[in-house]
Amino acid sequence: EAGVVQSPRYKIIEKKQPVAFWCNPISGHNTLYWYRQNLGQGPELLIRYENEEAVDDSQLPKDRFSAERLKGVDSTLKIQPAELGDSAVYLCASSTQGRGYTFGSGTRLTVV
Amino acid sequence: AQSVTQLGSHVSVSEGALVLLRCNYSSSVPPYLFWYVQYPNQGLQLLLKYTSAATLVKGINGFEAEFKKSETSFHLTKPSAHMSDAAEYFCAVSYPNRDDKIIFGKGTRLHILP
């Protein structure tokens, strides 16, 4: 089966510009996660979806970050406007009960 | 608050030597425990997981980890290091029947010396 697919792999933008990341989870995985991984750190959860419902977005900076998973399948994470401190790797993962997480390769964002 | 602590942000071992990466968790309830590996510019790959069955868990690439409740530890070991083991390793914890989210440690970078 195909893994979790993320695009783009790399993105360089100027500060104050918008950016969007896309994630296609494994087919049948109803739970989708977005994590942010800063350099030299472990991933930190931004938002978790159960199907199309965001059930945990407590760590999502809502002033500039937004996410959607309209049909309960693929998801988009957006930052508008981006700040220098947003430079990080954004990881998407999906899971279904009892089978553990599968991570995508991530999108490395550099804000200049 | 539940958390996971990895001792040592960098560990260096010689090729062929024992690999030991330490992980301790803080929790009042039994968690699920994971070890992930991340190669440069890659996502995270699951090495192994403990889900309340056997306390000694065998994973991929010759790695294994032992859950020790009395020590709240889940250290990762491999008898003989290989150059290809050089990577970042993350210990993680989740709590089934709660929110099921995974909490990661800060990671340990493993260096293999020739």
Side-chain angles (χ1 to χ4, degrees), chain A residues 2 5 7-8 15 20 31 37 40 42 45 51 54 56-57 67 69-70 73-74 81 92 95 98 104 109 112:
Chain A
V5 179
S7 67
K15 62 182 180 182
T31 308
Q37 185 178 16
L45 182 68
N51 299 306
D56 183 357
D57 63 357
R69 193 185 185 198
L70 294 176
V73 181
D74 55 349
C92 179
S95 72
L109 174 67
V112 298

Side-chain angles (χ1 to χ4, degrees), chain A residues 9-10 31 33 35 37 40-45 48 50 56 58-59 89 91 95 97-106 108, chain B residues 6 9 32 34 36 38-46 49 51 88 90 94 97-107 109:
Chain A
R9 285 296 311 276
Y10 304 93
T31 308
Y33 312 80
Y35 281 82
Q37 185 178 16
Q41 301 288 319
E44 295 179 333
L45 182 68
R48 176 169 69 102
E50 292 291 343
D56 183 357
S58 57
Q59 301 302 312
V89 175
L91 293 162
S95 72
Q97 191 172 6
R99 299 185 187 177
Y101 280 39
T102 301
F103 281 87
S105 297
R108 182 177 295 277
Chain B
Q6 292 183 240
S9 58
Y32 287 178
F34 308 83
Y36 284 85
Q38 188 177 35
Y39 298 100
N41 299 317
Q42 304 266 329
L44 282 81
Q45 181 182 8
L46 181 66
K49 63 180 178 181
T51 57
E88 188 92 19
F90 293 94
S94 74
N97 303 321
R98 288 193 182 182
D99 53 22
D100 201 34
K101 70 180 180 184
I102 288 187
I103 301 169
F104 287 87
K106 294 190 174 184
R109 182 165 295 278

Side-chain angles (χ1 to χ4, degrees), chain A residues 41-93:
Chain A
Q41 301 288 319
E44 295 179 333
L45 182 68
L46 290 174
I47 190 168
R48 176 169 69 102
Y49 282 94
E50 292 291 343
N51 299 306
E52 67 275 10
E53 181 183 1
V55 296
D56 183 357
D57 63 357
S58 57
Q59 301 302 312
L60 190 73
K62 298 181 183 63
D63 58 334
R64 297 183 300 106
F65 285 65
S66 64
E68 60 183 15
R69 193 185 185 198
L70 294 176
K71 296 183 179 179
V73 181
D74 55 349
S75 175
T76 303
L77 178 69
K78 299 178 181 178
I79 308 174
Q80 182 171 9
E83 297 178 352
L84 295 177
D86 296 330
S87 296
V89 175
Y90 292 83
L91 293 162
C92 179

Side-chain angles (χ1 to χ4, degrees), chain B residues 30-33 49-55 57 67 96:
Chain B
Y32 287 178
L33 292 155
K49 63 180 178 181
Y50 166 76
T51 57
S52 73
T55 56
V57 182
F67 172 68

